[in-house]
Amino acid sequence: MPDATMGVYNIEDLRTSAQRRLPKGVFEFVDRGSEDEVALRNNRAAFERIKLSPRPLVDVSRRSQAIELFGHSLKMPIAIAPTGTAGLMWYQGELELARAAAAAGIPFTLATGSMTAMEKIAEQAPGRLWFQLYMWPDRSMSHKLVERARLAGFEALVVTVDGVVSGNREYNLRNGFTVPFSYSRRNIVDVMRHPRWMVGVLGRYMLGNGMPRYENYPLELKNKITAAPMGKSMMRNDSLNWDDLRMLRKIWPHTLIVKGIMHPRDALQAAACGADAIVVSNHGGRNFDSLAAPIDVLPHVADAVGNRLAVLMDSGVRRGSDVVKALALGAKAVMIGRPTLYGTAVGGEAGAARAIGIFREEIDRALAHLGCAGTSELDRSCLASQLDSAAVHPLNSAPDIQERQ
Ligand SMILES: Cc1cc2nc3c(=O)[nH]c(=O)nc-3n(C[C@H](O)[C@H](O)[C@H](O)COP(=O)(O)O)c2cc1C
């Protein structure tokens, strides 16, 4: 009987296992951040700094982590973040990951730059499907893509706004892992040292339709990932502005989510433009190394927007307790990027399901310790930092404090 744990017990185990399987260039493309990786490390450190306060002697024998989001019930407070590279983790990795998400009852977000056509995902992995949009300078191309997503039945549009310019990722240049991908002695040796990936992923593509392509790009841009650059000017994103968001609101009839908001001012502006939700995100530390950790920014954003729109967050979520911390600080749900990519690299759909399953178990455990039967009970009173010192030490109360002043 196959081992349901796959021999991995947490997301870090999956990461280590993915590192063994993937060529170095591919692994680093997924795993690393930008420049000195300060933001990447701080995304984790910020979660680790937050301490929770247990609440025993509450009957939590019937626990549920289900949530309501945009009028739908989700089995967990998690959505799969858009990542253009699931198709390099496993043969048709995007389909595998989307199927795992559907089976777990959580949304899957397909990235503009993914290697599987959105229609194929909708047909072969029906579930809660969101489409992530990068805008091109030629807005009409982007608007056609939005229409295509609508016709394919996607229920939410996630507009990413933090890719104004691409992140400075020096290791990709060193590894020769650029987009489009180019062959060098170094990366050919790297691939040959990972025969399982060479045969099981690259080989299967080559035996099928050849090198994967950006299947959601319009014909003018649809290139193999190894093809010559499609003209940098066509890919520029630095003219994106609030008018674009207003226009998207007009043409997209379903849920509109803005991903990459890091300031209460911009969250309010997104609400004013008609967005239904924002994702507080620093793109997993991949784009600009000087940004704060989203989990630190989250409570300020959540306080500012109140009920105007739903607040989601991502970047650095690696444990179920991180999910719980984000919900306690005002997020409706979190997105996860790398954890399910590692899972997909290790075992396709089963590996992605294992990553989601690890989160499920850990969220459940955290809820139990906090004395919460459901996620709606999570709020700032769950944080150790909210402890009222007078309540804990009744003798050490106000008069004493006044004396010291
Ligand atoms: C390999 C990789 C590719 C990504 N591609 C996209 C993308 O195409 N569009 C996008 O909006 N975000 C993209 N992201 C960012 C994720 O959606 C998400 O914000 C981030 O991964 C969250 O951080 P985490 O990986 O620590 O969970 C990518 C992230 C990774 C790791």
Side-chain angles (χ1 to χ4, degrees), residues 335-346:
M335 293 186 116
I336 47 173
R338 294 180 184 87
T340 34
L341 286 181
Y342 301 143
T344 307
V346 170

Side-chain angles (χ1 to χ4, degrees), residues 192-405:
M192 287 174 68
R193 281 201 182 127
H194 295 84
R196 196 161 34 177
W197 186 85
M198 187 172 74
V199 175
V201 181
L202 196 58
R204 288 181 74 187
Y205 282 122
M206 298 313 281
L207 285 176
N209 294 332
M211 271 287 177
R213 299 192 308 173
Y214 299 108
E215 293 292 348
N216 296 299
Y217 281 19
L219 271 182
E220 305 90 299
L221 300 180
K222 207 181 215 171
N223 268 324
K224 291 177 181 169
I225 60 168
T226 44
M230 57 254 322
K232 274 200 162 170
S233 61
M234 296 185 84
M235 302 304 293
R236 287 180 70 141
N237 223 329
D238 50 2
S239 63
L240 191 71
N241 62 69
W242 293 107
D243 285 339
D244 289 307
L245 190 60
R246 285 186 202 98
M247 177 53 83
L248 288 173
R249 178 66 296 175
K250 278 195 193 135
I251 64 173
W252 176 255
H254 307 302
T255 303
L256 181 65
I257 305 172
V258 185
K259 176 171 178 284
I261 294 290
M262 287 288 284
H263 196 289
R265 166 202 63 215
D266 296 334
L268 287 168
Q269 178 106 358
C273 291
D276 300 294
I278 50 162
V279 187
V280 181
S281 167
N282 68 11
H283 216 100
R286 290 167 64 80
N287 276 359
F288 186 29
D289 204 25
S290 296
L291 298 187
I295 190 67
D296 286 338
V297 173
L298 171 68
H300 305 286
V301 171
D303 285 348
V305 299
N307 290 327
R308 287 189 184 86
L309 42 63
V311 180
L312 280 64
M313 73 80 58
D314 76 15
S315 302
V317 175
R318 297 291 179 274
R319 289 280 185 188
S321 54
D322 299 334
V323 179
V324 161
K325 287 170 184 176
L327 267 57
L329 285 166
K332 282 288 280 178
V334 305
M335 293 186 116
I336 47 173
R338 294 180 184 87
T340 34
L341 286 181
Y342 301 143
T344 307
V346 170
E349 180 181 346
R354 179 70 185 127
I356 297 167
I358 288 170
F359 277 111
R360 186 185 301 110
E361 290 161 24
E362 292 179 353
I363 292 169
D364 181 63
R365 189 170 289 126
L367 285 175
H369 281 296
L370 296 179
C372 295
T375 52
S376 62
E377 295 169 35
L378 293 168
D379 59 23
R380 292 185 202 172
S381 70
C382 301
L383 304 173
S385 58
Q386 300 289 306
L387 282 176
D388 175 0
S389 58
V392 181
H393 305 290
L395 298 179
N396 181 19
S397 57
D400 191 16
I401 292 167
Q402 272 165 14
E403 265 171 38
R404 266 191 247 129
Q405 276 174 348

